[in-house]
Amino acid sequence: MSHLPEGNRRSNVDRFSGYKDLYDRYRPGAPSEVIRILTGYLQRKPQLVLDVGCGTGLSTFVWKSDAETIVGIEPNDDMRSKAEEKLRLLQAEDPAAGSIRFMSGYSNKLEFPDGAADLITCSQSFHWMEPASTLAEAARVLKPGGIFAAYDCDWPPTASWEAEKAYVDLLDHADQLLKERQSEKDQAVKRDKESHLARIKESGHFRYAREIVFHNEETCDSERYIGLALSQGGLQTCLKLGFTDLDGEIERFKALVKDYFLDRTLEVLFSYRMRIGVK
């Protein structure tokens, strides 16, 4: 892996190694509402979209018919290899997939010239980035009138309150274990998503900034709901480190989820918050 630019931590990148298939199978793709909102603000079809911190491409492929060129940028080799694998399969059957490519890179060192991009998106990723240098770099690469958009869904999606509480408690317990047992240098630095809009405004790089809230409805069964929890980085890190403290809690969570879904496939809501800055 190449040298990380100042402000990045290797622990933030390495946190996402080793579970690309699980992540890609259960995590939500970017909803089409993202395209509708951002192209509405842009008022044209974007020529270049940079999807930064794109992971396995779940937020990249959604643009394939709605932008001239789409580049997914991901520093984690494991996650990016999954995106590239999916792209090869897609290109064999869909000519529109030729507009997409993936590359290694970091949010505060984008290998693009000044004023190159119409849109820079960070789906479920901006909280892992050093915000000041990332926003300065986004402003450099965006065209005048271009848009920076950081969007995240709330965890967990809707289910029974018991299953949701067990989900939240499990992830909180995982984070607490890592805080107690990992050395500080090995701990990932996750910034508060609630501060995204303030950071965009305070950066001074954007003439207009706001938050947009929306929902996306998806189908889900017990397997997927459980998989969503298991795809969370904190829990995965605990499992990779061999912690057994969570075993009983994981089984209890699975039982509550199965009791709710009862072998059914149901509609669940993912609640999204998008913070945008217009250059």
Side-chain angles (χ1 to χ4, degrees), residues 114-147:
D114 296 0
D118 296 285
L119 298 173
I120 295 178
T121 59
C122 297
S123 172
Q124 322 278 2
S125 61
F126 186 49
H127 55 292
W128 297 114
M129 303 169 184
E130 197 292 306
S133 58
T134 293
L135 291 169
E137 182 71 339
R140 180 188 70 79
V141 173
L142 283 170
K143 297 175 182 177
I147 300 166

Side-chain angles (χ1 to χ4, degrees), residues 31-254:
S32 58
E33 194 74 0
V34 169
I35 295 172
R36 189 188 70 80
I37 291 169
L38 294 180
T39 54
Y41 276 106
L42 195 63
Q43 298 183 45
R44 64 179 186 276
K45 182 177 181 177
Q47 292 181 307
L48 176 61
V49 175
L50 303 182
D51 186 29
V52 183
C54 67
T56 64
L58 290 168
S59 52
T60 314
F61 289 105
V62 69
W63 286 98
K64 69 181 175 66
S65 299
D66 293 282
E68 297 297 330
T69 303
I70 309 102
V71 182
I73 301 169
E74 173 55 50
N76 183 283
D77 295 337
D78 195 39
M79 285 280 177
R80 194 177 64 258
S81 71
K82 183 65 177 182
E84 291 167 341
E85 172 191 325
K86 291 159 58 180
L87 180 59
R88 286 192 293 272
L89 293 173
L90 187 61
Q91 286 174 333
E93 59 187 45
D94 187 351
S99 62
I100 300 172
R101 65 183 175 94
F102 293 95
M103 62 182 289
S104 179
Y106 298 95
S107 61
N108 53 3
K109 194 176 181 180
L110 300 173
E111 296 182 10
F112 292 85
D114 296 0
D118 296 285
L119 298 173
I120 295 178
T121 59
C122 297
S123 172
Q124 322 278 2
S125 61
F126 186 49
H127 55 292
W128 297 114
M129 303 169 184
E130 197 292 306
S133 58
T134 293
L135 291 169
E137 182 71 339
R140 180 188 70 79
V141 173
L142 283 170
K143 297 175 182 177
I147 300 166
F148 174 84
Y151 61 98
D152 303 273
C153 64
D154 292 343
W155 300 113
T158 56
S160 69
W161 73 264
E162 294 94 342
E164 289 183 28
K165 184 176 186 303
Y167 188 119
V168 172
D169 289 346
L170 176 60
L171 298 189
D172 285 348
H173 191 185
D175 287 343
Q176 185 60 36
L177 286 173
L178 294 176
K179 185 176 180 180
E180 292 170 356
R181 299 187 190 178
Q182 270 192 313
S183 65
E184 186 176 349
K185 69 179 179 62
D186 291 331
Q187 291 179 21
V189 176
K190 180 168 60 174
R191 294 169 177 85
D192 181 14
K193 297 177 184 178
E194 294 300 316
S195 68
H196 287 354
L197 181 60
R199 292 186 184 278
I200 292 170
K201 288 181 175 180
E202 292 165 2
S203 73
H205 298 302
F206 303 95
R207 51 182 148 167
Y208 179 66
R210 68 160 295 176
E211 178 178 272
I212 302 159
V213 181
F214 58 97
H215 300 289
N216 194 53
E217 195 172 73
E218 295 192 25
T219 59
C220 190
D221 57 12
S222 60
E223 178 190 351
R224 186 184 183 201
Y225 203 90
I226 291 167
L228 283 168
L230 295 178
S231 77
Q232 300 288 336
L235 183 51
Q236 276 294 313
T237 302
C238 286
L239 296 176
K240 285 187 285 187
L241 292 173
F243 296 169
T244 58
D245 309 61
L246 300 173
D247 291 355
E249 200 169 344
I250 290 172
E251 292 309 311
R252 178 177 174 273
F253 166 68
K254 289 180 177 179

Side-chain angles (χ1 to χ4, degrees), residues 18-26 56 78-79 82 85:
Y19 62 104
K20 60 184 180 182
D21 293 321
L22 177 74
Y23 185 101
D24 192 68
R25 181 174 183 180
Y26 296 117
T56 64
D78 195 39
M79 285 280 177
K82 183 65 177 182
E85 172 191 325

